[in-house]
Amino acid sequence: MSERPLLAISSCLLGENVRYDGAHKKDHWLIRELGRYVDYRAICPEVAIGLGVPRQPIRLLKINEDIRAVGVSDATLDVTEALQNYAFDTVPSLGDISAYVFKSKSPSCGVFRVKQYHPNGMATAKGAGVYAEVIGQQMPDLPMEEEGRLCDPVLRENFVSRLFTYHRWQRLLMDDLHSASLIDFHMRHKYLLMAHSQAAYQRLGRLLSNLKGQDLRQVAKAYQSELMSALNRKVSRARHANVLQHLQGYLKKAIKAGDKVEIADNIAAYHRGELPLVVPIKLLAHYFRCYPNDYIAAQAYLQPYPDALGLRNAI
Ligand code: SF4
């Protein structure tokens, strides 16, 4: 596994002309910004199953509880099983993938609120595309998102944090697994986890509390599931503020009263929505540079992904 995370992505988002009409849906943020720090593996399931470019567009048709991917103009073109089988065949090759970005609204690649048409022509927006649904079921811990939702700063930050954390976890699993390395990972992710869910952090701690004689691969499997489920939860300003106050506590003997007030004021202003998260984080990072603390320096919370992405400027 390389040092740069590898992301699977719907090919049309990378600018490949693979859509039904021969066009693409190039996503500039994914290519120009995130692409500076990750590598991509492009996948177009509709092309992979042999539908040409251009081709007849397909849509989801809901008949009772059965959902089929069929041609828009010719419903006898039914590619449901072909897309599902391609997804099952693809899963084994995705073991080195740290996340997957799908094209929204697609009957193949969409993850959320894909339109399902009823025989009377009416449509409701719910459910996933046929290919993406199988990937999600087979790889429930893999960070997955749609490019459209990544325009939301909170969802974008959450997704990037999950993908880099999952990548760090995957790299840990590459080596011989030791109790010490699992405990070290948990220690380094304490405050990131606490921001998402204090209860999950405690459950994961209990999982690692007595590893003697345990099958570490089974423990790691359970840890991964709980870890990725916890990170999927959005972090409120109140929870970030709580973590920031905990971090400030490590400076209480080192800094002067006026500096403590400055940090507390910045955390409070962030909590009220008057400042972005990057401000109190940078202020704390400044004081931890002046008064180093090895335990805090190891915390993923302070830099869960490259700072230059600027994601904490917008939340
Ligand atoms: S949405 Fe998926 S199936 Fe459609 S063109 Fe893009 S990659 Fe291909």
Side-chain angles (χ1 to χ4, degrees):
M1 175 163 290
S2 99
E3 281 189 20
R4 283 164 65 93
L6 182 60
L7 268 68
I9 186 168
S10 297
S11 304
C12 53
L13 295 175
L14 275 191
E16 295 182 15
N17 295 315
V18 290
R19 279 170 63 81
Y20 71 92
D21 56 0
H24 61 74
K25 282 284 178 182
K26 186 187 279 183
D27 187 288
H28 293 289
W29 182 79
L30 288 170
I31 296 170
R32 288 188 197 150
E33 299 298 324
L34 192 58
R36 289 187 286 156
Y37 304 102
V38 305
D39 294 318
Y40 287 116
R41 182 180 297 163
I43 300 173
C44 177
E46 291 181 21
V47 167
I49 63 169
L51 298 176
V53 181
R55 58 184 174 273
Q56 178 188 173
I58 59 172
R59 64 178 181 176
L60 297 182
L61 183 63
K62 184 169 191 212
I63 303 171
N64 300 322
E65 291 312 304
D66 197 18
I67 296 175
R68 314 294 302 175
V70 300
V72 170
S73 54
D74 174 11
T76 63
L77 172 71
D78 186 329
V79 291
T80 314
E81 275 80 24
L83 286 168
Q84 289 170 336
N85 291 339
Y86 177 67
F88 281 114
D89 290 346
T90 301
V91 165
S93 70
L94 298 182
D96 55 349
I97 294 290
S98 298
Y100 204 138
V101 185
F102 290 94
K103 174 74 189 75
S104 58
K105 299 180 185 165
S106 158
S108 304
C109 290
V111 183
F112 307 100
R113 297 176 58 77
V114 178
K115 274 188 184 167
Q116 297 172 350
Y117 288 84
H118 302 271
N120 65 6
M122 302 287 282
T124 46
K126 58 179 187 180
V130 173
Y131 166 80
E133 182 166 43
V134 174
I135 300 292
Q137 286 167 353
Q138 296 298 305
M139 305 185 75
D141 300 333
L142 182 71
M144 292 171 55
E145 229 350 313
E146 292 179 341
E147 95 296 350
R149 282 165 43 100
L150 289 176
C151 295
D152 178 317
V154 173
L155 294 179
R156 176 182 286 187
E157 197 276 341
N158 176 280
F159 173 69
V160 175
S161 178
R162 281 187 291 142
L163 97 80
F164 277 91
T165 304
Y166 193 53
H167 183 243
R168 288 191 292 275
W169 173 253
Q170 288 173 305
R171 287 173 64 84
L172 175 87
L173 296 185
M174 280 171 53
D175 297 328
D176 287 344
L177 207 49
H178 300 289
S179 307
S181 55
L182 282 172
I183 290 166
D184 180 64
F185 181 95
H186 186 62
M187 180 275 289
R188 287 188 289 118
H189 291 80
K190 172 177 178 175
Y191 288 108
L192 188 64
L193 270 163
M194 274 181 61
H196 287 269
S197 167
Q198 185 139 2
Y201 169 71
Q202 285 165 351
R203 279 196 298 275
L204 287 165
R206 283 196 291 277
L207 194 61
L208 303 184
S209 63
N210 183 10
L211 294 173
K212 205 169 174 192
Q214 296 227 45
D215 179 340
L216 291 185
R217 288 281 155 191
Q218 285 303 321
V219 173
K221 207 170 159 190
Y223 188 96
Q224 173 180 305
S225 173
E226 180 91 40
L227 168 74
M228 297 316 295
S229 160
L231 296 184
N232 215 3
R233 291 178 207 153
K234 280 197 216 170
V235 184
S236 65
R237 280 183 183 262
R239 288 223 288 268
H240 272 305
N242 182 264
V243 166
L244 294 167
Q245 284 160 352
H246 273 88
L247 295 178
Q248 183 186 1
Y250 287 86
L251 290 165
K252 69 180 175 201
K253 289 185 182 151
I255 60 175
K256 297 181 188 139
D259 298 332
K260 285 180 199 164
V261 171
E262 184 192 15
I263 297 173
D265 284 351
N266 272 268
I267 295 173
Y270 160 73
H271 192 181
R272 292 193 299 271
E274 296 163 10
L275 289 175
L277 180 58
V278 68
V279 176
I281 296 251
K282 285 289 174 198
L283 191 58
L284 282 167
H286 162 75
Y287 282 108
F288 281 117
R289 269 197 305 280
C290 300
Y291 306 100
N293 178 312
D294 289 345
Y295 183 68
I296 297 302
Q299 288 300 318
Y301 179 81
L302 288 174
Q303 195 183 36
Y305 42 75
D307 273 350
L309 283 167
L311 302 177
R312 285 172 161 176
N313 301 350
I315 62 171

